[in-house]
Amino acid sequence: MASLKKLFSDSVIYGLSSIVGRFLNYLLVPLYTYHISAASGGYGVVTNVYAYTALLLIILTFGMETTFFYFANSGVKGAERTNVFSTALGAVGSVSFVFVLGVLALLGPIANAMGYGAHPEYIAVMAAVVALDAFQAILFARLRLENRAWKFAALKLSFIVLNIGLNLFVFLLAPKLQHLPFMQWYDEQNNVGYIFYINLICTALVTFGFWKELKDFHLSTFHFPLLKQMLRYTWPLLIFGIVGILNQVLDKILFPFLYPGSDMQEQLGIYGACVKIAMIMAMITQAFRYAYEPFVFAGGKGEKSKESQALVMKYFVMFTLLAFMVVVCYMDVFKYIIRRDYWEGLRAVPIVMMAEILMGVYFNLSFWYKLTAKTYWGAIMSAVGCGVLVLVNVLLVPKIGYMACAWGGLAGYGTCVLLSYFIGQRHYHVPYPVASILGWFALALALYFLRATPPDTLSTFHFPLFTFDSLWLRLAYNTLLFALFLAALLWSERALVRRVIWCHCLNGSRNK
């Protein structure tokens, strides 16, 4: 129980940088969409370029975060653990440096192939950003290994605060100050480029926050024999990571090549903007992962660890479905995050959110092959899921546009979950409460289909049984549905709730 409390407390702290931080980052979504119209296609460019950078980040880190955790927890201490850190950081840093040089040397052909021949600077800037992000990934992993959650959160939040501040200056203040001599650099037609430049500035500055950790890196502690062992462990994770991120971003990469209409960038921008609303689920999953991965590796493979994994899986599903209900029941509020001409893409949000939940479930299930060093299974299962995603996109994007991207993600992650569960139970049995988990999914989906929507709602995942013209009537009715789900959740875990309340009251009385 104490270990689960530690997991919860660390998740809360990591959540400051992931959930709270990215929520603050939501300020950028209305900022961008209200200053970059859907018809201009500018937000489509942002969506497409960031999809490539997400994929490249996985390639440049090549699973070394998880590999670092595995080797650092394999009975090594002191100087040996420093060797693991230096070897991992040196390997990722070297690959990232060579990558940047290669992109700069071939910048013209690469930009033309991606369709950005008129703006090769976008590619150069984002190549530098992704290289720095990869390098920082190992440094952040070390903070997680050492349970230094507060410094982790501080650095992540410093990036977000600085990023938001510079974006607010460029998009809100700069247009009013452009007549001043020192503002001659500003060009309102280059708003997309400023998004990328700001990202580079903020990422570079965060690197200086790791000066203490960087002092522990020495070439003398970089061990080639150790690197060979780490590479043998990590190469399946690289494939797993590539295929896993493809399940998240491949739709946005393929869309320009599959969509037949001339409004391709506009449609991709609409989808990319609306998906931001669904990313609350990705925030929760990421914060959970930061705390859960070192927790599981430190706990080993005993029966108590398996029971903890089963219990955490149940609570993860319950909590993420609660977040799902918040978004779908109050979509009338969340939709104002983006400008009205992007609203037609809101119909994709529930599908993408459900796909994100399945991605989190798949992450929970993935520890059986990580703990047993059978990481090749992760690569195989993720490849199959990616194949399903590609098939759905290729077949349906020409017919139903970006909605195929949403359905493809759901189908891909659903396939991964089924494969990982049934194969994993044969190799590393964990007593997951499957009936309870499926029951929560069934309840959430039933309430979702019963929710009220505006009469003109576009949807391919909802039969509008209840459509109210009145906004307040819709919110009242949907609040009732949310309250039903929350009441069911609290009743199901009433023993835990009583224990938490009792501990809180006991601690309060002691403090007095």
Side-chain angles (χ1 to χ4, degrees):
M1 192 66 185
S3 60
L4 287 178
K5 288 181 179 178
K6 173 64 175 173
L7 171 64
F8 176 75
S9 63
D10 282 355
S11 294
V12 170
I13 298 173
Y14 288 125
L16 292 174
S17 60
S18 184
I19 299 176
V20 177
R22 288 195 186 184
F23 182 77
L24 292 175
N25 224 16
Y26 266 154
L27 290 173
L28 301 181
V29 179
L31 190 68
Y32 294 158
T33 58
Y34 278 84
H35 287 82
I36 303 173
S37 68
S40 71
Y43 201 75
V45 174
V46 174
T47 300
N48 184 243
V49 172
Y50 275 116
Y52 279 104
T53 58
L55 172 60
L56 288 169
L57 180 60
I58 296 298
I59 295 174
L60 295 182
T61 53
F62 50 94
M64 196 56 76
E65 287 177 277
T66 300
T67 302
F68 171 64
F69 283 128
Y70 181 82
F71 280 84
N73 282 293
S74 298
V76 299
K77 295 182 180 179
E80 291 181 327
R81 181 169 282 190
T82 300
N83 294 343
V84 174
F85 168 70
S86 294
T87 302
L89 185 64
V92 173
S94 299
V95 171
S96 299
F97 182 71
V98 172
F99 164 75
V100 172
L101 292 181
V103 170
L104 293 178
L106 301 171
L107 184 58
I110 293 174
N112 288 328
M114 294 177 62
Y116 301 114
H119 294 283
E121 68 275 12
Y122 295 172
I123 310 305
V125 169
M126 293 313 295
V129 168
V130 75
L132 285 172
D133 278 339
F135 184 70
Q136 291 176 10
I138 305 302
L139 297 168
F140 277 116
R142 177 170 174 173
L143 296 181
R144 292 160 57 196
L145 177 72
E146 297 174 351
N147 293 319
R148 297 164 65 190
W150 283 111
K151 181 170 182 178
F152 182 102
L155 290 174
K156 289 287 187 179
L157 284 173
S158 65
F159 169 86
I160 292 168
V161 171
L162 182 60
N163 189 36
I164 291 174
L166 289 178
N167 272 281
L168 290 174
F169 173 76
V170 167
F171 283 89
L172 297 183
L173 289 180
K176 300 176 181 179
L177 302 175
Q178 58 183 316
H179 63 282
L180 299 176
F182 65 90
M183 291 294 297
Q184 295 304 307
W185 55 268
Y186 178 76
D187 180 5
E188 194 169 359
Q189 301 303 314
N190 194 31
N191 279 340
V192 172
Y194 294 142
I195 294 173
F196 300 139
Y197 298 143
I198 291 171
N199 196 336
L200 177 60
I201 293 171
C202 298
T203 303
L205 289 176
V206 167
T207 307
F208 292 103
F210 290 104
W211 66 275
K212 285 187 177 180
E213 289 72 28
L214 289 172
K215 288 195 300 183
D216 290 337
F217 173 77
H218 302 284
L219 289 177
S220 60
T221 57
F222 183 94
H223 282 204
F224 281 100
L226 175 60
L227 178 61
K228 291 180 181 179
Q229 297 178 43
M230 297 176 79
L231 291 176
R232 279 197 296 270
Y233 180 88
T234 201
W235 76 262
L237 292 179
L238 169 60
I239 300 174
F240 165 67
I242 291 174
V243 178
I245 197 65
L246 285 176
N247 282 327
Q248 299 180 54
V249 303
L250 187 59
D251 52 354
K252 303 170 188 69
I253 294 174
L254 289 177
F255 191 83
F257 301 101
L258 298 175
Y259 186 74
S262 59
D263 59 340
M264 179 273 297
Q265 291 287 9
E266 176 183 353
Q267 292 296 304
L268 182 58
I270 290 172
Y271 177 66
C274 290
V275 163
K276 289 293 185 181
I277 299 176
M279 285 300 103
I280 187 174
M281 207 59 68
M283 299 177 202
I284 295 171
T285 302
Q286 186 69 14
F288 176 80
R289 177 191 169 192
Y290 283 146
Y292 194 44
E293 194 165 38
F295 166 80
V296 173
F297 278 112
K301 297 181 284 187
E303 291 304 316
K304 288 186 177 180
S305 176
K306 291 181 179 182
E307 292 175 2
S308 295
Q309 290 177 51
L311 188 62
V312 169
M313 171 71 89
K314 183 182 76 168
Y315 288 137
F316 173 81
V317 169
M318 293 167 65
F319 186 72
T320 51
L321 285 175
L322 183 67
F324 172 83
M325 291 300 299
V326 169
V327 174
V328 298
C329 287
Y330 298 99
M331 187 66 74
D332 281 310
V333 176
F334 283 102
K335 67 183 180 182
Y336 287 99
I337 292 174
I338 56 178
R339 198 164 71 174
R340 186 178 295 271
D341 55 348
Y342 289 86
W343 283 4
E344 69 169 76
L346 293 173
R347 52 190 171 143
V349 172
I351 307 170
V352 175
M353 288 191 71
M354 195 57 67
E356 290 289 340
I357 295 176
L358 292 183
M359 183 184 72
V361 172
Y362 181 45
F363 170 76
N364 276 271
L365 293 171
S366 70
F367 285 101
W368 72 263
Y369 58 77
K370 293 178 181 177
L371 290 170
T372 57
K374 297 179 179 178
T375 48
Y376 56 87
W377 274 114
I380 294 172
M381 292 181 295
S382 295
V384 174
C386 186
V388 172
L389 179 146
V390 171
L391 182 62
V392 172
N393 276 264
V394 170
L395 293 178
L396 297 182
V397 164
K399 297 179 180 179
I400 62 174
Y402 56 74
M403 289 304 299
C405 300
W407 285 113
L410 184 67
Y413 282 124
T415 301
C416 290
V417 166
L418 293 174
L419 289 175
S420 187
Y421 175 77
F422 287 110
I423 297 174
Q425 292 300 87
R426 295 180 60 184
H427 292 270
Y428 183 80
H429 178 74
V430 177
Y432 293 114
V434 177
S436 175
I437 289 171
L438 292 178
W440 286 113
F441 272 105
L443 177 61
L445 289 175
L447 294 175
Y448 167 76
F449 283 113
L450 291 172
R451 86 193 196 287
T453 62
D456 58 345
T457 296
L458 291 171
S459 178
T460 59
F461 192 47
H462 173 244
F463 301 98
L465 299 178
F466 300 97
T467 58
F468 302 141
D469 288 318
S470 171
L471 169 63
W472 297 109
L473 188 58
R474 289 197 305 271
L475 290 175
Y477 174 79
N478 289 339
T479 298
L480 177 61
L481 296 183
F482 174 74
L484 288 174
F485 185 86
L486 180 59
L489 188 150
L490 294 175
W491 176 257
S492 172
E493 301 302 317
R494 56 191 179 278
L496 177 62
V497 172
R498 282 198 298 267
R499 193 181 311 161
V500 171
I501 294 174
W502 171 254
C503 291
H504 177 75
C505 293
L506 186 62
N507 290 335
S509 62
R510 286 175 178 175
N511 292 334
K512 290 180 181 179

